[in-house]
Amino acid sequence: MGINAIYQEFIRTCTTAKGRKGNAEMISPSFFDILFRKMEFIETTWYCGERYGTKKRDIDNALNKGKNPVIVMDISGCLSVYNAYPGQCEIIYTDRDKRDCILSIIQKPALRREQVADRIVSFEFEEKNKVLADHIVSVGNGSLEKEVNDVISYLKL
C-alpha cells in the first residue's frame, strides 16, 4: 500500500460494546466468541470489558477490489495486521492534543469512573507507542470520522 494511495475503503471493526456510532459493527458476545473460535479475526482486543476485532475477510475483500483498507485500532491491532500483511501496511498514528483527548473521555456521561480511568491509562500507552508508526498525522479535536478523513486527506497528498 503506497502512501500516495487514492483508493481507500474504511473497514469497520466488530465489537460487543453498546453505543458505538458508525465505526463498528455491534455483535453479541456469543457471536464474537464464535467468530473468534473460527479464526475469522485478524486481530482482537479486550478494552474496558468489551471485545473488539477486525475480520480478515474484510481486509482481503478490500485488497481484492484494489482498495487500501483504512482501519482504526490500537497499536497491538496495528502490529498484528502489519505482520499479517508484510509490505502491504502502513501504521498511521493520529496525534491529538493530550488535553483534548482526556476531556473527550471524561465528558462521556455513559462511562463509569473505572472506564474513564482505563481509557486514560490506555491513551498513555498508545501515545508512547507512536514511535512504531510509519507516519504521524496531527489532527485537531473532533469526531472519529473527522480524524479518519484527515488521515485519508493526508494519504492523498
Side-chain angles (χ1 to χ4, degrees), residues 102-150:
I102 292 172
L103 281 172
S104 73
I105 292 168
I106 63 175
Q107 291 174 345
K108 291 187 172 134
L111 294 179
R112 297 184 321 272
R113 286 190 328 205
E114 296 83 9
Q115 290 174 309
V116 169
D118 287 345
R119 288 183 181 205
I120 291 171
V121 168
S122 70
F123 169 73
E124 294 286 336
F125 174 75
E126 289 294 313
E127 189 175 50
K128 287 178 185 175
N129 284 297
K130 70 182 175 184
V131 297
L132 300 172
D134 297 305
H135 309 279
I136 298 174
V137 178
S138 294
V139 296
N141 190 19
S143 68
L144 176 62
E145 182 179 340
K146 182 185 178 321
E147 286 188 29
V148 169
N149 286 333
D150 287 348

Side-chain angles (χ1 to χ4, degrees), residues 11 13 20 25 37 40 50 62 76-77 84 113 126 156:
I11 304 295
T13 57
R20 302 292 294 187
E25 176 186 348
R37 284 192 303 274
E40 295 281 330
E50 301 294 347
S76 297
R113 286 190 328 205
E126 289 294 313
K156 291 180 179 179

Side-chain angles (χ1 to χ4, degrees), residues 14-18 20 27 29 32 45-53 112 115 119:
C14 294
T15 184
T16 60
K18 294 175 178 60
R20 302 292 294 187
I27 61 177
F32 191 97
T45 193
W46 283 68
Y47 177 71
C48 293
E50 301 294 347
R51 301 168 211 180
Y52 297 83
R112 297 184 321 272
Q115 290 174 309
R119 288 183 181 205

